[in-house]
Amino acid sequence: MAVDLLLGLQWGDEGKGKIVDVLTKNYDIIARFQGGPNAGHTLEFDGIKHVLHTIPSGIFHKNAINVVGNGVVIDPVIFKKELDKLAPFNLDIKSKLLISRKAHLILPTHRLLDAASEAAKGKAKIGSTLKGIGPTYMDKTGRNGIRVGDLEFTNWKEKYHSLATKHVKMIDFFDSKIDYDLNELETEFFDAIKTLKQLTFIDSEEYFHQVQTEGKTILAEGAQGSLLDIDFGTYPYVTSSNTTAAGACTGLGVAPGKINQVYGIFKAYTTRVGSGPFPTELFNSYGETMARVGNEFGATTGRPRRCGWLDLVALKYAVQINGVTQLMMMKSDVLSGFDKIKVCTAYTFKGKTITHFPYNIDPENVSPVYTELPGWKDDLTQMTDASQLPVALNHYIQFLENELKVPIKIVSVGPDRKQTILRN
Ligand code: GDP
Ligand code: IMO
Ligand code: MG
């Protein structure tokens, strides 16, 4: 079986980009299967930091083909900016980056609708990235969307104008008073479409079938995290796609039986950006320390990320839903220096202690029950081998492995590609 998955197990930003980059040497193909430019995946090597939004994180490796699958939504304008940033690196994008004809396009009016919808919600806003993700997936499931493959037909602009006209009416309906100049947005959009059309479009499901018969290996790169999944996340404070394992099958056209390893990636603590419940969120100096040391600002929007202790109730739920076979713990270095480290091992829910992830985790229903573990003071960032890890960190890892019943195979100790420790 040739397809492995790498999935974020929390509310996103677990470090997926870094680890996909680290693992790419073992794969022929790296593929994104859902989400869009709401994602910000950070890679660091040779003293340079790269942030990718739509392009898979294997793009810097000569050995790998990168595919944007059918489940992804593409904003041509953001995509063009991403390509421009990659231009100095001579990556042979035309042959190394393939785009599914069935991927949907984010139109400028989708972005406006996202903003109008958020404004209309007031305090109840999702805190979306304002990239038009929700409205684009709504048009996909509403069977109104425009796909990459449509760009190869002459009538696509008619489809565009009819959909954009409808969107303008919807924006008026929201009465949100957002200012925009559609002509300006459309000029930018049509210009970016020209760039997109220079890339290689494929029937990606056929491509994946073919490369599997040739014995090639595929790593599917998740975006967002399991707790932002449209079905299993903290609805309605979620994104609009299936971020969990099954999303890779529908987002690439790969059969469930072909999936082999499911790598689950999590931070040694928890972060969340945007609105929604977060039981272990800290509003004290511990949370501030995590945010400062971990440099917790969104890679896409620059918003500060909310920080808190690791939530094992939520993590177990994500491990279960995805069928995780190996774990990767990120940002372990950020926890260095705390005297004690807390881990949430249960919730108090309506006066009872529970260990499963309930329907509603709003603060009025749920409060975390913590187990306290010893902290460590050592600087981990220069460590390269598992034998160097401090005793208390090993204890933390073993505690998590015992609870989750899945081995932690990678411990990340810094943002750089090299700051990655393998465990047997
Ligand atoms: P993604 O969306 O899952 O790819 O994650 P992001 O790139 O949005 O956020 C992860 C952030 O943590 C980035 O700034 C990474 O450079 C950084 N990072 C990744 N792994 C580590 C680590 O082990 N330690 C530290 N200190 N930073 C890390
Ligand atoms: P990566 O791939 C963290 C959050 C937003 C908001 C909610 C819905 O970098 O881990 P959307 O724009 O998708 O409609 O926003 O989801 N969100 C993310 N949070 N990392 C991401 O992606 C995210 N993508 C969306 O902040 O709460
Ligand atoms: Mg991110």
Side-chain angles (χ1 to χ4, degrees):
M1 284 182 292
V3 187
D4 294 339
L5 314 182
L6 182 126
L7 307 171
L9 300 181
Q10 296 161 317
W11 278 290
D13 303 329
E14 295 87 354
K16 297 175 289 290
K18 167 180 165 163
I19 293 298
V20 169
D21 171 61
V22 167
L23 295 179
T24 299
K25 60 180 187 307
N26 307 327
Y27 292 90
D28 300 306
I29 296 148
I30 309 297
R32 277 279 306 271
F33 60 88
Q34 46 69 233
N38 47 350
H41 294 180
T42 314
L43 289 66
E44 263 188 64
F45 53 88
D46 301 339
I48 307 179
K49 176 170 151 175
H50 304 271
V51 180
L52 297 170
H53 299 289
T54 317
I55 295 171
S57 300
I59 196 71
F60 292 99
H61 292 256
K62 290 218 159 31
N63 63 298
I65 298 288
N66 288 258
V67 181
V68 177
N70 57 279
V72 175
V73 290
I74 301 175
D75 183 331
V77 176
I78 296 178
F79 199 69
K80 181 176 185 300
K81 287 185 187 149
E82 251 184 285
L83 290 173
D84 289 345
K85 278 202 182 148
L86 293 180
F89 301 95
N90 298 318
L91 298 174
D92 189 12
I93 293 289
K94 177 89 183 156
S95 57
K96 287 291 184 194
L97 181 63
L98 312 177
I99 318 280
S100 170
R101 289 196 173 87
K102 293 193 171 77
H104 280 245
L105 294 178
I106 301 177
L107 311 185
T109 43
H110 282 132
R111 263 184 274 134
L112 297 172
L113 276 170
D114 198 355
S117 159
E118 284 285 83
K121 285 190 161 139
K123 274 193 183 157
K125 72 174 181 180
I126 307 298
S128 93
T129 59
L130 301 177
K131 302 295 176 197
I133 304 298
T136 306
Y137 278 112
M138 280 164 71
D139 271 336
K140 174 178 177 172
T141 52
R143 296 156 297 178
N144 304 309
I146 299 181
R147 301 190 289 178
V148 167
D150 292 333
L151 301 176
E152 295 172 323
F153 294 85
T154 47
N155 68 344
W156 84 268
K157 276 201 179 171
E158 285 163 36
K159 278 193 186 178
Y160 165 81
H161 284 297
S162 123
L163 188 55
T165 305
K166 181 170 132 189
H167 287 163
V168 168
K169 288 186 191 144
M170 290 164 70
I171 294 161
D172 289 346
F173 166 80
F174 276 113
D175 195 23
S176 57
K177 301 188 178 48
I178 50 167
D179 272 338
Y180 63 94
D181 178 341
L182 191 56
N183 281 334
E184 202 176 292
L185 293 170
E186 284 183 339
T187 306
E188 186 185 41
F189 178 71
F190 291 127
D191 182 49
I193 292 276
K194 280 189 208 147
T195 305
L196 184 61
K197 284 176 82 170
Q198 285 164 17
L199 299 187
T200 309
F201 299 165
I202 58 166
D203 294 329
S204 50
E205 60 289 352
E206 175 58 26
Y207 173 81
F208 287 120
H209 176 71
Q210 189 56 39
V211 292
Q212 285 183 83
T213 59
E214 291 165 14
K216 298 226 163 98
T217 51
I218 302 165
L219 176 64
E221 171 181 358
Q224 291 78 55
S226 300
L227 302 178
L228 290 171
D229 181 280
I230 182 71
D231 284 284
F232 300 107
T234 46
Y235 192 90
Y237 300 100
V238 293
T239 191
S240 299
S241 61
N242 282 114
T243 59
T244 44
C249 297
T250 53
L252 298 177
V254 164
K258 302 289 183 198
I259 308 285
N260 184 21
Q261 293 296 316
V262 180
Y263 305 120
I265 177 166
F266 67 100
K267 279 180 193 172
Y269 49 101
T270 310
T271 64
R272 172 162 208 174
V273 58
S275 324
F278 178 179
T280 61
E281 183 169 11
L282 293 166
F283 301 95
N284 56 20
S285 65
Y286 290 99
E288 282 159 24
T289 304
M290 288 170 189
R292 180 173 41 79
V293 180
N295 192 26
E296 294 295 357
F297 294 93
T300 296
T301 59
R303 290 177 293 175
R305 296 180 185 136
R306 303 153 62 190
C307 296
W309 297 117
L310 190 64
D311 182 342
L312 271 181
V313 179
L315 199 55
K316 264 185 203 167
Y317 171 72
V319 164
Q320 249 175 46
I321 283 177
N322 292 307
V324 170
T325 59
Q326 296 185 29
L327 286 162
M328 297 160 171
M329 185 167 85
M330 310 301 287
K331 300 195 103 160
S332 316
D333 53 302
V334 176
L335 289 189
S336 291
F338 290 110
D339 286 331
K340 298 272 180 213
I341 292 177
K342 288 187 182 183
V343 182
C344 167
T345 43
Y347 294 150
T348 305
F349 180 72
K350 296 184 181 167
K352 285 193 188 136
T353 304
I354 59 163
T355 53
H356 75 276
F357 196 74
Y359 178 74
N360 181 314
I361 60 158
D362 286 343
E364 55 271 28
N365 294 320
V366 157
S367 57
V369 178
Y370 288 112
T371 298
E372 217 172 61
L373 300 171
W376 58 90
K377 302 280 178 193
D378 320 50
D379 174 10
L380 311 180
T381 58
Q382 305 303 315
M383 295 183 180
T384 52
D385 191 88
S387 62
Q388 297 169 292
L389 297 178
V391 173
L393 173 55
N394 277 325
H395 181 223
Y396 188 65
I397 293 170
Q398 279 150 18
F399 180 83
L400 302 183
E401 287 184 329
N402 277 342
E403 291 282 321
L404 297 166
K405 313 271 185 271
V406 181
I408 297 177
K409 292 287 196 179
I410 287 182
V411 176
S412 178
V413 293
D416 193 273
R417 211 186 242 177
K418 291 196 183 121
Q419 293 171 299
T420 309
I421 296 181
L422 305 181
R423 290 179 80 244
N424 287 323

